[in-house]
Amino acid sequence: NKNLIEVKNLTFKRGERVISKPEFESPTGQDYGYYGPSGIGKTTLLKLIGGQLYPEQGEILFDGQDICR
């Protein structure tokens, strides 16, 4: 099964705050939920995947293409 979204060794910094997501995959054709308490980076992760923000390091692949480059 091919993954629509893959996050690999992602690090994003905002001031002193660091958001890190080592691995994340979302298979094509599957629904995926991401939940947790306020302030853990849910919206930031979506903005990174959507290309509104850029990570300090790591890769975000959308349909096999690195959207950070």
Side-chain angles (χ1 to χ4, degrees):
N1 234 8
K2 187 176 179 179
N3 293 315
L4 182 61
I5 301 169
E6 293 180 65
V7 173
K8 299 179 180 182
N9 300 314
L10 186 72
T11 300
F12 176 77
K13 294 180 185 175
R14 181 171 281 162
E16 295 294 314
R17 222 165 156 191
V18 177
I19 296 167
S20 183
K21 296 288 175 211
E23 297 292 325
F24 168 88
E25 295 178 348
S26 178
T28 301
Q30 297 287 317
D31 291 335
Y32 193 87
Y34 184 58
Y35 62 94
S38 180
I40 65 165
K42 298 179 298 291
T43 300
T44 300
L45 180 61
L46 290 174
K47 287 182 177 182
L48 286 160
I49 291 169
Q52 293 174 301
L53 298 173
Y54 294 96
E56 297 287 320
Q57 67 180 27
E59 294 179 305
I60 301 173
L61 304 177
F62 185 84
D63 201 22
Q65 294 198 342
D66 189 350
I67 63 170
C68 300
R69 306 283 173 244

